[in-house]
């Protein structure tokens, strides 16, 4: 179904993405289905924000208020970080590129600074200055197109986080040249996951399953006492999954080329860019799942490690070891960091290599 629809119109691709998001929701719900808890203690919200489908399910005394506060927080963050909202802080920075400083909130400053730190650590695989590249390939307006070599060369001159100037004193940001712009699409949902978890904790929520467009976060356990089990989708067949991970007050974030893409003349063009080439990343991986305590880092790393490919992703894990990693390569094999040996259950028949 994806193949047929993917080659048509961008709206269709978006619809496929939505349907798939629903499938993921259905899968995680199936994993978390529970009965027996008092009904008024359970609340669920499904809504569209940050260009994706979101779902929050909580159990607790103030379930409904907690969920509304979580949802309001996501909308608030969207208004800060969206680059298609002309009123956002990110738009203010982008509009002032090559001209003036922009003073931003602590949160916007924190996201940009965090993205920059990880850009350096990942050798430039994650770079929030990819916005002009996203535009050039038509991922921003949905009018997908393949740029020529000259255009690619020109746009590369606008990419590079080393040309974001940050001034901690006063939260000031400036992009060095006109035409540069920031895209927080690879980090905003991760930060939103951190904020929603924090808000739900403020409401003393004991059990929650949060799905922000494939970024999963959990609090506690299912009321039965067993752990949430989060399905990792099979990038080659969305009706299947590669395996499940036990959620344990953490974030489980997956990036893959199958999330958003277009097809032309039999070639697939994905929405994760290689900032070094200004072209869709040519990764030997189909999906990368990062498990950890900080949603913002999981989100950034899932994109960065996808761009870096299998060997560099494993090297990065070995050098840091403060997160869990599940890699699916293009042959269908799975590579899983040893810390997840207990939490990860592969689907029968999957070849798994644990690395350390
Ligand atoms: P999704 O948004 O589907 O969860 P990701 O978390 O992998 O997928 O983020 C992809 C988004 O991040 C893109 O839509 C784009 O906004 C941005 N992006 C794409 N490539 C990069 C990159 N190399 N570095 C930083 N951000 C990127
Ligand atoms: Mg992500």
């Amino acid at each position: 179904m994806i193949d047929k629809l993917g080659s048509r119109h961008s709206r269709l691709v978006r619809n496929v993405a939505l349907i798939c998001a629903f499938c993921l929701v259905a899968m995680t719900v199936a994993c978390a289905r529970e009965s027996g808890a008092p009904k008024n203690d359970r609340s669920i919200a499904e809504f569209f924000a940050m260009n994706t489908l979101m779902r929050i399910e909580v159990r607790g005394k103030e379930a409904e208020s907690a969920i509304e506060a979580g949802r309001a927080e996501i909308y608030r963050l969207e208004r800060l970080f969206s680059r298609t909202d002309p009123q956002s802080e990110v738009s203010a920075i982008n509009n002032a590129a090559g001209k003036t400083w922009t003073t931003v909130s602590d949160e916007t400053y924190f996201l940009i600074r965090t993205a920059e730190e990880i850009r350096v650590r990942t050798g430039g695989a994650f770079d929030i200055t990819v916005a002009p590249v996203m535009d050039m390939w038509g991922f921003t307006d949905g009018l997908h197109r393949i740029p020529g070599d000259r255009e690619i060369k020109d746009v590369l001159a606008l990419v590079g986080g080393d040309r974001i100037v940050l001034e901690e004193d006063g939260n000031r940001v400036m992009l060095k040249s006109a035409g540069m712009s920031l895209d927080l699409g690879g980090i905003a949902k991760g930060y939103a996951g951190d904020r929603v978890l924090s808000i739900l904790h403020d409401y003393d929520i004991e059990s929650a399953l949060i799905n922000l467009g494939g970024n999963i976060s959990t609090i506690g356990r299912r009321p039965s006492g067993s752990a949430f089990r989060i399905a990792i989708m099979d990038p080659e067949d969305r009706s299947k999954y590669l395996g499940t991970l036990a959620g344990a007050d953490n974030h489980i974030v997956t990036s893959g080329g199958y999330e958003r893409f277009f097809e032309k003349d039999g070639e697939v063009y994905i929405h994760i860019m290689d900032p070094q080439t200004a072209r869709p990343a040519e990764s030997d991986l189909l999906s990368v799942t990062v498990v950890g305590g900080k949603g913002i880092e999981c989100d950034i790393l899932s994109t960065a490690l996808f761009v870096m490919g299998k060997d560099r992703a494993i090297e990065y894990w070995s050098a840091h070891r403060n997160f869990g990693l599940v890699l699916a390569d293009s042959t269908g094999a799975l590579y899983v960091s040893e810390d997840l040996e207990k939490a990860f259950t592969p689907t029968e028949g999957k070849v798994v290599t644990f690395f350390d």
Side-chain angles (χ1 to χ4, degrees), residues 115-172:
E116 265 306 282
E117 281 166 12
I118 303 190
R119 174 185 68 80
V120 173
R121 271 195 274 162
T122 58
F126 189 82
D127 194 323
I128 55 175
T129 63
V130 291
V133 183
M134 296 301 290
D135 294 346
M136 180 178 70
W137 289 87
F139 281 107
T140 314
D141 57 11
L143 302 173
H144 299 129
R145 52 185 290 275
I146 298 165
D149 290 347
R150 175 81 228 176
E151 219 182 326
I152 287 180
K153 200 165 162 251
D154 289 348
V155 90
L156 272 172
L158 302 171
V159 179
D162 55 335
R163 290 191 298 124
I164 305 172
V165 197
L166 294 174
E167 205 178 72
E168 185 113 34
D169 217 9
N171 285 356
R172 300 205 306 165

Side-chain angles (χ1 to χ4, degrees), residues 126 185-190 212-215 253-256 259 271-272 288 295-296 298-303:
F126 189 82
I187 175 170
K189 278 188 290 166
L212 311 183
N215 285 26
V253 177
T254 301
S255 281
E259 291 276 354
H271 75 133
I272 298 175
V288 174
I296 187 169
C298 294
D299 202 13
I300 296 178
L301 284 178
S302 65
T303 306

